[in-house]
Structure formats: C-alpha cells, structure tokens
Amino acid sequence: MSSITAELLIDLSKIKKNICSLKSLIGKDSNFMAIVKSDAYGHDLKKLIVRIDDIVDAYGVVRLDEAVSLRRHTQKQILLMQGIYDDLEWNIVKDNSINFVVHDPIQFKFLERRYSGQKFWIKVNTGMNRLGISLDDLKKVLKKTHLQNDDVLMTHLACADIPDDELNLLQFANFEKAFSQLNCPIQRSILNTNGIINFPQHAYDWVRGGIGMYGGVHHPDLETAMTFRSQIISIRDIQPGDRVGYGGRQQAKTKMKIANVYVGYADGVPQNSIDGTKVLVNDQYAPIFGRVSMDLISVDISKIDNCKVGDWVVLWGDNISINKFAETNSLISYELMTKISPRVKKIFVEL
Ligand SMILES: *Cc1c(COP(=O)(O)O)cnc(C)c1O
C-alpha cells in the first residue's frame, strides 16, 4: 500500500448507457437535453462531454462560466438555466452562442435583443413557486418579441418523484393554460429525470435529464456511475463498555472489531451520517459505528472475515446503492454526488 487516499471511480460508459435507457422511455420526437450543471453532478463535465456528445441534443447548466467552458467542447445547443441579468453577461452569451432561460420579468429586456440563431426558453411558474414567469406576466412576453417555432415554453415539476401528488396535475393543467395563452406553435419542455420515469406522456419536444444519467434514482435500467471508496488504515479490538469516536456516540455492548477508514466529511461523507449506515467491506455489508470525523469513519467489522489494513471500503457504488445511503440519512443522491470534495482523487474507469 502506498499513499492512502479516498478515490472516486467514474465509469463514463455507464452514463452513456443510462442516457440511452432514459431516451428509450420517451418518444423519438422528443429531444434529450443532458443536464450537466455542477460539473456534471460531480462527474467531470469536460471528460463526460466527449463521451456523450453524439447521443444528446443539447446541454443544460446554471453557471455562465460552465456554459462558456462547455462551448469549447461542443457545437450543440447550450442552455443557461439561471438566465442572464446584465449587459456583460449578454455579450458573453452572444459571443458564445449560448441560449438562456427567461424566468423573471426583470429579464424581459433581453427578449428585444435576440441575437442571430438564438432560441429563447421561456420558463413559466405552474405551481412550484420557485422560478418562472406568472401566467399573468406571460402575455407581456409577446409584446417584447415575436416567438419563433424553435423557442421553448418550459416549466419545472415540484413533485415529479411523487407521481400521486395532485400538484403534478395542477402543474400540467397550468402549463397547458400557459401554452394556449401564448397561442403560437413554439416547443414545450416539462420533464426532469423523475418526470421522464413517471410521466413520459408529457415529454413534448424536450426532456431535461440530470440525476438519471448518473444513476442517482431507483430504476432497474439505471446504474450508478460513481464509486466512492477508501482504505482501512487501522483496526482495533474493543471491549464491552468502550465508546468510539467524537462524543463517544457509540458504545460497545460486546467485544467488537472496529476498522478506521481514511475518508471523512472533508472528502464528502455527510458529517451527520447515522450509526448503522451500511458500507461495503470486502464485498460484505458493515455498519458505520460512531460519528463521522473530518478524515475518518469507524466501521463495525466484527462480522467481516479476514479484514486487514489496506482493504477497500466502498461507501457507494456497485452493489451498494448511493440511493440507499441517501435514504438512510434523509439525504438525496444529488447532494452526495455534488459534495465529493476536490481532494478526492478522480479515476476514470471502464468497468
Ligand atoms: C437540474 C435541473 C434539471 C434536471 O433535474 P434531474 O432531477 O437531475 O433530472 C432539469 N431542469 C432544470 C430546470 C433543472 O434545474
């Protein structure tokens, strides 16, 4: 064993497969926008683009600098989802042929300045009450610009992962209202990943797939592309009554064997991970035992055979779902993926 460090293994071929699976859920007439915000949900935007550019129709990001750096690697449509706010940003999107979302009346002034080849994405609030123009203000869009056939009316679902929630029906109905109010044949886009899975009949012209590409939702055809792992750096036998870690949060009831693994909250393990959260040690499940430290976690390996210093411990990856880790700790896979810290070594693998 040389220098021990936590590793993030990334299998880009799995992301490619996941995109194909998501596309197979919707009709051939729908275009697939790959959402690659936050460095492709922690998977490395630049490395990913070259692998998927031939199978996606466009990219979505939220930061202007991400959009600009993306432009150096693709000719496809790039959508800046937070939109723009001032002339400096306007010049940058124009020079780099970046399309942007208009989601607030404060951005209406840019509707009068369409650059050649630009498509507008008009985001309407249908019930999530986060971003989006109200149905009342939507009429004002038409006063500012003549909408074109490849402009897009979009909205975002609040409860796409809860198909029975009545808010979904309200949002679909309001979206239809907004579309008929505009009364022009522009394109439409509603669905994120969970929308694609639960409401494929509402795919329209564009779907916007994010977390599903990376395998961060439960679905039989989607695989998690990242494996987060580190090595055991010390093993200790403890006696009944011994307490472990900060605050002595856990106490041994019997004789136990504890492995200390070189990965902590400074690498991206949530600090409030609860005792009993399962990790994988030599292909066997073992529970976290005691509070997560900055650089270490303690794992109960009393029931694991032949454990030794240097053995790998997988927090999430194949055979140990990131979704399970998230659920156990009342978190979401999005947060786990995007909070892996830069000090973790990224390794690109084809498994
Ligand atoms: C992030 C984002 C998406 C992707 O959502 P997933 O749940 O990751 O598929 C789609 N649309 C918008 C506007 C987003 O911000």
Side-chain angles (χ1 to χ4, degrees):
M1 181 169 52
S2 55
S3 154
I4 298 181
T5 154
E7 290 183 353
L8 189 68
L9 310 180
I10 297 176
D11 184 348
L12 297 173
S13 68
K14 283 191 182 157
I15 299 182
K16 199 162 179 170
K17 259 175 58 192
N18 289 340
I19 293 172
C20 294
S21 299
L22 288 167
K23 282 170 67 168
S24 74
L25 297 176
I26 53 170
K28 292 243 180 312
D29 296 336
S30 295
N31 294 292
F32 187 90
M33 174 176 282
I35 304 300
V36 292
K37 58 196 177 188
S38 193
D39 203 22
Y41 292 44
H43 293 73
D44 196 307
L45 178 58
K46 280 180 203 148
K47 285 226 169 48
L48 176 63
I49 295 315
V50 264
R51 294 298 306 276
I52 65 171
D53 202 49
D54 56 335
I55 59 164
V56 306
D57 301 296
Y59 298 97
V61 293
V62 293
R63 293 290 162 89
L64 186 52
D65 56 351
E66 277 187 321
V68 170
S69 88
L70 189 53
R71 180 45 82 216
R72 286 186 229 116
H73 303 276
T74 181
Q75 301 294 316
K76 301 237 159 121
Q77 179 183 180
I78 297 170
L79 182 65
L80 179 64
M81 295 191 294
Q82 74 182 11
I84 59 168
Y85 287 85
D86 60 31
D87 288 345
L88 188 72
E89 292 179 326
W90 162 258
N91 288 328
I92 296 172
V93 294
K94 183 165 172 277
D95 291 347
N96 292 278
S97 302
I98 293 162
N99 290 326
F100 56 87
V101 173
V102 173
H103 59 75
D104 190 284
I106 206 165
Q107 300 167 320
F108 280 0
K109 57 183 181 222
F110 300 110
L111 290 170
E112 293 164 343
R113 311 192 200 169
R114 188 192 291 270
Y115 66 75
S116 150
Q118 184 186 11
K119 305 177 213 291
F120 285 126
W121 286 64
I122 312 290
K123 186 170 192 172
V124 66
N125 174 32
T126 53
M128 186 174 188
N129 292 309
R130 197 181 57 169
L131 299 182
I133 296 159
S134 70
L135 264 65
D136 282 345
D137 285 340
L138 197 57
K139 296 176 208 93
K140 297 179 191 155
V141 170
L142 297 170
K143 296 207 179 88
K144 300 274 179 184
T145 187
H146 176 69
L147 289 175
Q148 302 176 356
N149 288 356
D150 54 2
D151 288 336
V152 184
L153 180 71
M154 70 179 283
T155 196
H156 196 62
L157 296 177
C159 299
D161 58 334
I162 317 163
D164 293 337
D165 197 297
E166 60 193 18
L167 186 50
N168 289 303
L169 297 179
L170 177 74
Q171 290 200 259
F172 292 133
N174 281 336
F175 189 71
E176 277 319 301
K177 224 183 269 174
F179 183 68
S180 52
Q181 220 177 78
L182 285 177
N183 193 26
C184 48
I186 67 170
Q187 300 190 329
R188 280 174 277 184
S189 173
I190 302 183
L191 305 180
N192 62 356
T193 297
N194 280 305
I196 295 169
I197 292 169
N198 292 320
F199 303 105
Q201 70 276 24
H202 292 281
Y204 294 114
D205 305 284
W206 288 93
V207 296
R208 310 184 304 271
I211 195 73
M213 301 201 304
Y214 313 103
V217 285
H218 288 294
H219 190 277
D221 300 336
L222 302 174
E223 280 183 273
T224 306
M226 67 163 56
T227 299
F228 186 30
R229 66 176 197 171
S230 190
Q231 285 167 289
I232 295 175
I233 61 163
S234 156
I235 293 174
R236 169 181 311 280
D237 290 303
I238 60 171
Q239 303 302 317
D242 286 351
R243 293 167 68 184
V244 174
Y246 283 115
R249 183 171 81 180
Q250 270 289 20
Q251 186 167 32
K253 294 196 178 68
T254 56
K255 282 188 171 188
M256 294 179 77
K257 211 179 260 300
I258 299 295
N260 289 295
V261 186
Y262 211 29
V263 66
Y265 61 78
D267 300 289
V269 184
Q271 199 277 326
N272 55 356
S273 298
I274 62 171
D275 293 314
T277 302
K278 297 280 197 300
V279 298
L280 210 51
V281 186
N282 293 342
D283 292 323
Q284 296 164 72
Y285 295 105
I288 288 179
F289 194 81
R291 228 189 253 176
V292 172
S293 310
M294 185 183 291
D295 312 297
L296 288 168
I297 58 170
S298 310
V299 177
D300 172 9
I301 53 162
S302 310
K303 293 190 182 130
I304 312 285
D305 318 319
N306 303 321
C307 246
K308 56 187 187 308
V309 169
D311 286 354
W312 286 99
V313 174
V314 181
L315 289 113
W316 53 80
D318 288 336
N319 303 322
I320 177 136
S321 160
I322 190 171
N323 303 311
K324 190 76 204 296
F325 193 106
E327 273 162 27
T328 302
N329 291 292
S330 308
L331 296 167
I332 54 174
S333 60
Y334 303 65
E335 184 174 351
L336 296 178
M337 287 180 182
T338 54
K339 280 198 171 159
I340 303 280
S341 89
R343 84 172 186 184
V344 175
K345 192 160 86 185
K346 280 201 189 91
I347 299 170
F348 294 85
V349 291
E350 300 278 316
L351 297 171

PDB file of all heavy atoms in Angstrom, residues 331-349:
ATOM      1  N   LEU A 331     -31.147  12.089   3.089  1.00  0.00           N
ATOM      2  CA  LEU A 331     -30.499  12.973   2.129  1.00  0.00           C
ATOM      3  C   LEU A 331     -30.958  12.566   0.736  1.00  0.00           C
ATOM      4  O   LEU A 331     -31.737  11.626   0.579  1.00  0.00           O
ATOM      5  CB  LEU A 331     -28.975  12.841   2.239  1.00  0.00           C
ATOM      6  CG  LEU A 331     -28.361  13.277   3.577  1.00  0.00           C
ATOM      7  CD1 LEU A 331     -26.918  12.802   3.675  1.00  0.00           C
ATOM      8  CD2 LEU A 331     -28.446  14.785   3.728  1.00  0.00           C
ATOM      9  N   ILE A 332     -30.458  13.289  -0.291  1.00  0.00           N
ATOM     10  CA  ILE A 332     -30.736  12.889  -1.666  1.00  0.00           C
ATOM     11  C   ILE A 332     -29.412  12.629  -2.380  1.00  0.00           C
ATOM     12  O   ILE A 332     -28.379  13.220  -2.049  1.00  0.00           O
ATOM     13  CB  ILE A 332     -31.575  13.948  -2.424  1.00  0.00           C
ATOM     14  CG1 ILE A 332     -30.935  15.331  -2.381  1.00  0.00           C
ATOM     15  CG2 ILE A 332     -32.991  14.005  -1.837  1.00  0.00           C
ATOM     16  CD1 ILE A 332     -31.663  16.372  -3.229  1.00  0.00           C
ATOM     17  N   SER A 333     -29.478  11.743  -3.378  1.00  0.00           N
ATOM     18  CA  SER A 333     -28.252  11.352  -4.087  1.00  0.00           C
ATOM     19  C   SER A 333     -27.580  12.557  -4.737  1.00  0.00           C
ATOM     20  O   SER A 333     -26.356  12.623  -4.832  1.00  0.00           O
ATOM     21  CB  SER A 333     -28.576  10.306  -5.150  1.00  0.00           C
ATOM     22  OG  SER A 333     -29.498  10.825  -6.086  1.00  0.00           O
ATOM     23  N   TYR A 334     -28.389  13.553  -5.171  1.00  0.00           N
ATOM     24  CA  TYR A 334     -27.831  14.758  -5.801  1.00  0.00           C
ATOM     25  C   TYR A 334     -26.792  15.403  -4.891  1.00  0.00           C
ATOM     26  O   TYR A 334     -25.732  15.838  -5.324  1.00  0.00           O
ATOM     27  CB  TYR A 334     -28.910  15.825  -6.036  1.00  0.00           C
ATOM     28  CG  TYR A 334     -30.124  15.471  -6.859  1.00  0.00           C
ATOM     29  CD1 TYR A 334     -31.037  14.528  -6.437  1.00  0.00           C
ATOM     30  CD2 TYR A 334     -30.376  16.145  -8.041  1.00  0.00           C
ATOM     31  CE1 TYR A 334     -32.185  14.264  -7.173  1.00  0.00           C
ATOM     32  CE2 TYR A 334     -31.529  15.891  -8.792  1.00  0.00           C
ATOM     33  CZ  TYR A 334     -32.429  14.947  -8.341  1.00  0.00           C
ATOM     34  OH  TYR A 334     -33.560  14.687  -9.053  1.00  0.00           O
ATOM     35  N   GLU A 335     -27.143  15.494  -3.605  1.00  0.00           N
ATOM     36  CA  GLU A 335     -26.259  16.173  -2.666  1.00  0.00           C
ATOM     37  C   GLU A 335     -24.994  15.353  -2.428  1.00  0.00           C
ATOM     38  O   GLU A 335     -23.892  15.895  -2.382  1.00  0.00           O
ATOM     39  CB  GLU A 335     -27.004  16.436  -1.338  1.00  0.00           C
ATOM     40  CG  GLU A 335     -26.175  17.229  -0.364  1.00  0.00           C
ATOM     41  CD  GLU A 335     -26.921  17.647   0.897  1.00  0.00           C
ATOM     42  OE1 GLU A 335     -28.147  17.472   0.969  1.00  0.00           O
ATOM     43  OE2 GLU A 335     -26.247  18.164   1.821  1.00  0.00           O
ATOM     44  N   LEU A 336     -25.154  14.036  -2.305  1.00  0.00           N
ATOM     45  CA  LEU A 336     -23.967  13.195  -2.101  1.00  0.00           C
ATOM     46  C   LEU A 336     -23.011  13.325  -3.289  1.00  0.00           C
ATOM     47  O   LEU A 336     -21.798  13.458  -3.120  1.00  0.00           O
ATOM     48  CB  LEU A 336     -24.391  11.728  -1.922  1.00  0.00           C
ATOM     49  CG  LEU A 336     -25.243  11.417  -0.687  1.00  0.00           C
ATOM     50  CD1 LEU A 336     -25.617   9.939  -0.663  1.00  0.00           C
ATOM     51  CD2 LEU A 336     -24.520  11.798   0.600  1.00  0.00           C
ATOM     52  N   MET A 337     -23.566  13.298  -4.511  1.00  0.00           N
ATOM     53  CA  MET A 337     -22.709  13.362  -5.712  1.00  0.00           C
ATOM     54  C   MET A 337     -21.974  14.692  -5.829  1.00  0.00           C
ATOM     55  O   MET A 337     -20.815  14.734  -6.221  1.00  0.00           O
ATOM     56  CB  MET A 337     -23.559  13.182  -6.974  1.00  0.00           C
ATOM     57  CG  MET A 337     -24.043  11.771  -7.202  1.00  0.00           C
ATOM     58  SD  MET A 337     -25.035  11.701  -8.714  1.00  0.00           S
ATOM     59  CE  MET A 337     -25.516   9.973  -8.694  1.00  0.00           C
ATOM     60  N   THR A 338     -22.682  15.783  -5.524  1.00  0.00           N
ATOM     61  CA  THR A 338     -22.096  17.101  -5.774  1.00  0.00           C
ATOM     62  C   THR A 338     -21.226  17.591  -4.616  1.00  0.00           C
ATOM     63  O   THR A 338     -20.607  18.627  -4.715  1.00  0.00           O
ATOM     64  CB  THR A 338     -23.185  18.160  -6.056  1.00  0.00           C
ATOM     65  OG1 THR A 338     -24.126  18.143  -4.984  1.00  0.00           O
ATOM     66  CG2 THR A 338     -23.908  17.868  -7.359  1.00  0.00           C
ATOM     67  N   LYS A 339     -21.196  16.818  -3.525  1.00  0.00           N
ATOM     68  CA  LYS A 339     -20.387  17.263  -2.388  1.00  0.00           C
ATOM     69  C   LYS A 339     -19.106  16.463  -2.188  1.00  0.00           C
ATOM     70  O   LYS A 339     -18.443  16.611  -1.166  1.00  0.00           O
ATOM     71  CB  LYS A 339     -21.232  17.245  -1.114  1.00  0.00           C
ATOM     72  CG  LYS A 339     -22.123  18.471  -1.000  1.00  0.00           C
ATOM     73  CD  LYS A 339     -22.609  18.666   0.412  1.00  0.00           C
ATOM     74  CE  LYS A 339     -23.310  19.993   0.580  1.00  0.00           C
ATOM     75  NZ  LYS A 339     -24.194  19.966   1.768  1.00  0.00           N
ATOM     76  N   ILE A 340     -18.758  15.610  -3.151  1.00  0.00           N
ATOM     77  CA  ILE A 340     -17.447  14.957  -3.083  1.00  0.00           C
ATOM     78  C   ILE A 340     -16.407  16.061  -3.213  1.00  0.00           C
ATOM     79  O   ILE A 340     -16.470  16.870  -4.137  1.00  0.00           O
ATOM     80  CB  ILE A 340     -17.272  13.952  -4.243  1.00  0.00           C
ATOM     81  CG1 ILE A 340     -18.387  12.907  -4.250  1.00  0.00           C
ATOM     82  CG2 ILE A 340     -15.884  13.314  -4.189  1.00  0.00           C
ATOM     83  CD1 ILE A 340     -18.234  11.775  -3.291  1.00  0.00           C
ATOM     84  N   SER A 341     -15.442  16.118  -2.297  1.00  0.00           N
ATOM     85  CA  SER A 341     -14.558  17.289  -2.278  1.00  0.00           C
ATOM     86  C   SER A 341     -13.409  17.137  -3.281  1.00  0.00           C
ATOM     87  O   SER A 341     -13.075  16.029  -3.696  1.00  0.00           O
ATOM     88  CB  SER A 341     -14.034  17.515  -0.865  1.00  0.00           C
ATOM     89  OG  SER A 341     -12.847  16.801  -0.677  1.00  0.00           O
ATOM     90  N   PRO A 342     -12.826  18.273  -3.677  1.00  0.00           N
ATOM     91  CA  PRO A 342     -11.757  18.234  -4.688  1.00  0.00           C
ATOM     92  C   PRO A 342     -10.536  17.421  -4.245  1.00  0.00           C
ATOM     93  O   PRO A 342      -9.769  16.994  -5.082  1.00  0.00           O
ATOM     94  CB  PRO A 342     -11.376  19.709  -4.861  1.00  0.00           C
ATOM     95  CG  PRO A 342     -12.495  20.491  -4.279  1.00  0.00           C
ATOM     96  CD  PRO A 342     -13.155  19.633  -3.263  1.00  0.00           C
ATOM     97  N   ARG A 343     -10.352  17.201  -2.945  1.00  0.00           N
ATOM     98  CA  ARG A 343      -9.156  16.456  -2.536  1.00  0.00           C
ATOM     99  C   ARG A 343      -9.274  14.961  -2.841  1.00  0.00           C
ATOM    100  O   ARG A 343      -8.293  14.222  -2.760  1.00  0.00           O
ATOM    101  CB  ARG A 343      -8.848  16.704  -1.052  1.00  0.00           C
ATOM    102  CG  ARG A 343      -9.601  15.831  -0.072  1.00  0.00           C
ATOM    103  CD  ARG A 343      -9.077  16.042   1.347  1.00  0.00           C
ATOM    104  NE  ARG A 343      -9.692  15.112   2.286  1.00  0.00           N
ATOM    105  CZ  ARG A 343      -9.480  15.115   3.588  1.00  0.00           C
ATOM    106  NH1 ARG A 343      -8.677  16.016   4.128  1.00  0.00           N
ATOM    107  NH2 ARG A 343     -10.059  14.235   4.376  1.00  0.00           N
ATOM    108  N   VAL A 344     -10.473  14.517  -3.186  1.00  0.00           N
ATOM    109  CA  VAL A 344     -10.659  13.106  -3.538  1.00  0.00           C
ATOM    110  C   VAL A 344     -10.164  12.880  -4.967  1.00  0.00           C
ATOM    111  O   VAL A 344     -10.531  13.604  -5.884  1.00  0.00           O
ATOM    112  CB  VAL A 344     -12.150  12.712  -3.436  1.00  0.00           C
ATOM    113  CG1 VAL A 344     -12.376  11.283  -3.912  1.00  0.00           C
ATOM    114  CG2 VAL A 344     -12.641  12.886  -2.002  1.00  0.00           C
ATOM    115  N   LYS A 345      -9.308  11.876  -5.135  1.00  0.00           N
ATOM    116  CA  LYS A 345      -8.739  11.588  -6.455  1.00  0.00           C
ATOM    117  C   LYS A 345      -9.813  11.000  -7.372  1.00  0.00           C
ATOM    118  O   LYS A 345     -10.463  10.017  -7.027  1.00  0.00           O
ATOM    119  CB  LYS A 345      -7.586  10.597  -6.280  1.00  0.00           C
ATOM    120  CG  LYS A 345      -6.743  10.432  -7.516  1.00  0.00           C
ATOM    121  CD  LYS A 345      -5.382   9.843  -7.165  1.00  0.00           C
ATOM    122  CE  LYS A 345      -5.449   8.322  -7.136  1.00  0.00           C
ATOM    123  NZ  LYS A 345      -4.209   7.688  -6.698  1.00  0.00           N
ATOM    124  N   LYS A 346     -10.007  11.618  -8.550  1.00  0.00           N
ATOM    125  CA  LYS A 346     -10.967  11.075  -9.517  1.00  0.00           C
ATOM    126  C   LYS A 346     -10.239  10.143 -10.478  1.00  0.00           C
ATOM    127  O   LYS A 346      -9.216  10.512 -11.050  1.00  0.00           O
ATOM    128  CB  LYS A 346     -11.594  12.200 -10.346  1.00  0.00           C
ATOM    129  CG  LYS A 346     -12.713  12.937  -9.658  1.00  0.00           C
ATOM    130  CD  LYS A 346     -13.578  13.652 -10.722  1.00  0.00           C
ATOM    131  CE  LYS A 346     -14.586  14.577 -10.099  1.00  0.00           C
ATOM    132  NZ  LYS A 346     -14.120  15.948  -9.914  1.00  0.00           N
ATOM    133  N   ILE A 347     -10.783   8.957 -10.661  1.00  0.00           N
ATOM    134  CA  ILE A 347     -10.173   7.987 -11.565  1.00  0.00           C
ATOM    135  C   ILE A 347     -11.229   7.533 -12.562  1.00  0.00           C
ATOM    136  O   ILE A 347     -12.327   7.125 -12.156  1.00  0.00           O
ATOM    137  CB  ILE A 347      -9.635   6.773 -10.768  1.00  0.00           C
ATOM    138  CG1 ILE A 347      -8.558   7.249  -9.789  1.00  0.00           C
ATOM    139  CG2 ILE A 347      -9.070   5.708 -11.699  1.00  0.00           C
ATOM    140  CD1 ILE A 347      -8.125   6.205  -8.800  1.00  0.00           C
ATOM    141  N   PHE A 348     -10.918   7.654 -13.845  1.00  0.00           N
ATOM    142  CA  PHE A 348     -11.904   7.278 -14.862  1.00  0.00           C
ATOM    143  C   PHE A 348     -11.661   5.864 -15.313  1.00  0.00           C
ATOM    144  O   PHE A 348     -10.557   5.496 -15.706  1.00  0.00           O
ATOM    145  CB  PHE A 348     -11.852   8.284 -16.016  1.00  0.00           C
ATOM    146  CG  PHE A 348     -12.309   9.641 -15.571  1.00  0.00           C
ATOM    147  CD1 PHE A 348     -11.420  10.525 -14.969  1.00  0.00           C
ATOM    148  CD2 PHE A 348     -13.639   9.987 -15.627  1.00  0.00           C
ATOM    149  CE1 PHE A 348     -11.845  11.750 -14.483  1.00  0.00           C
ATOM    150  CE2 PHE A 348     -14.078  11.210 -15.141  1.00  0.00           C
ATOM    151  CZ  PHE A 348     -13.183  12.088 -14.574  1.00  0.00           C
ATOM    152  N   VAL A 349     -12.697   5.049 -15.182  1.00  0.00           N
ATOM    153  CA  VAL A 349     -12.557   3.622 -15.456  1.00  0.00           C
ATOM    154  C   VAL A 349     -13.630   3.163 -16.417  1.00  0.00           C
ATOM    155  O   VAL A 349     -14.680   3.782 -16.543  1.00  0.00           O
ATOM    156  CB  VAL A 349     -12.714   2.779 -14.159  1.00  0.00           C
ATOM    157  CG1 VAL A 349     -11.547   3.005 -13.246  1.00  0.00           C
ATOM    158  CG2 VAL A 349     -14.014   3.084 -13.455  1.00  0.00           C
TER     159      VAL A 349
END
